[in-house]
Amino acid sequence: MPLLPTLSTFFIVLSAILIAIGWRLIVVNKPQAHRKAMIAASISALIFFTIYMSRTIFVGNTSFGGPDDIKIYYTVFLIFHIILATVGAVFGIVTLTLAFKRNLIKHRKVGPVTSIIWFCTAVTGVMVYLLLYVIYEGGKTTSMLKAIFGF
């Protein structure tokens, strides 16, 4: 298994686990522990993003190496994941900003939605990883647009 994709997937899964822990901590009224867990989740997500972007810029992305007859399904799934991850990142920044500005009324409304989006992002990210590197052998490593759309 390739090191950087495996490492970045680890950090996105870790961020989702830490968000789940943070969510539980606020439910049991432990706001300081919640804050620490959510900051750790944010740092983990930032590490993921740094590894992912570094690999994308300096190495490229891996195209789908599985059967041609399911490539379209993979591509649609990948695009869904990318949109979900982008929305999740924006929601994450908004949620963190609300928390740090102590706007807890809005934070309490947006936080659970952000968490659910992030859980879905982590799950779809793991599926992309599995499809690219575990279930099928990865295709060529190339520019992002070529990896996603094949041109």
Side-chain angles (χ1 to χ4, degrees):
M1 286 182 236
L3 178 63
L4 291 179
T6 303
L7 199 55
S8 64
T9 302
F10 166 79
F11 279 107
I12 207 62
V13 169
L14 179 61
S15 74
I17 291 168
L18 289 166
I19 287 170
I21 291 168
W23 194 342
R24 177 68 184 145
L25 288 167
I26 203 61
V27 166
V28 296
N29 198 27
K30 294 186 177 183
Q32 292 304 322
H34 165 79
R35 177 183 169 103
K36 289 176 183 175
M38 293 311 204
I39 289 171
S42 301
I43 291 168
S44 179
L46 189 58
I47 292 169
F48 155 79
F49 186 71
T50 302
I51 294 168
Y52 175 79
M53 288 309 297
S54 296
R55 183 174 187 275
T56 297
I57 292 167
F58 298 113
V59 178
N61 285 55
T62 303
S63 63
F64 182 66
D68 286 340
D69 58 335
I70 65 168
K71 183 175 180 169
I72 186 66
Y73 301 109
Y74 168 80
T75 303
V76 170
F77 184 78
L78 178 62
I79 291 169
F80 171 74
H81 168 70
I82 291 168
I83 292 168
L84 194 61
T86 303
V87 170
V90 171
F91 267 71
I93 291 166
V94 168
T95 304
L96 285 169
T97 301
L98 290 170
F100 286 127
K101 288 186 173 185
R102 306 295 295 159
N103 189 340
L104 298 182
I105 292 171
K106 287 184 181 177
H107 176 78
R108 287 182 186 124
K109 289 180 182 177
V110 176
V113 174
T114 304
S115 296
I116 291 167
I117 293 169
W118 203 251
F119 295 144
C120 293
T121 299
V123 169
T124 58
V126 169
M127 286 305 302
V128 167
Y129 172 80
L130 291 172
L131 288 167
L132 277 181
Y133 302 106
V134 177
I135 297 171
Y136 302 107
E137 188 174 322
K140 295 179 184 174
T141 299
T142 184
S143 74
M144 181 169 54
L145 289 177
K146 283 184 183 178
I148 294 171
F149 297 110
F151 54 77

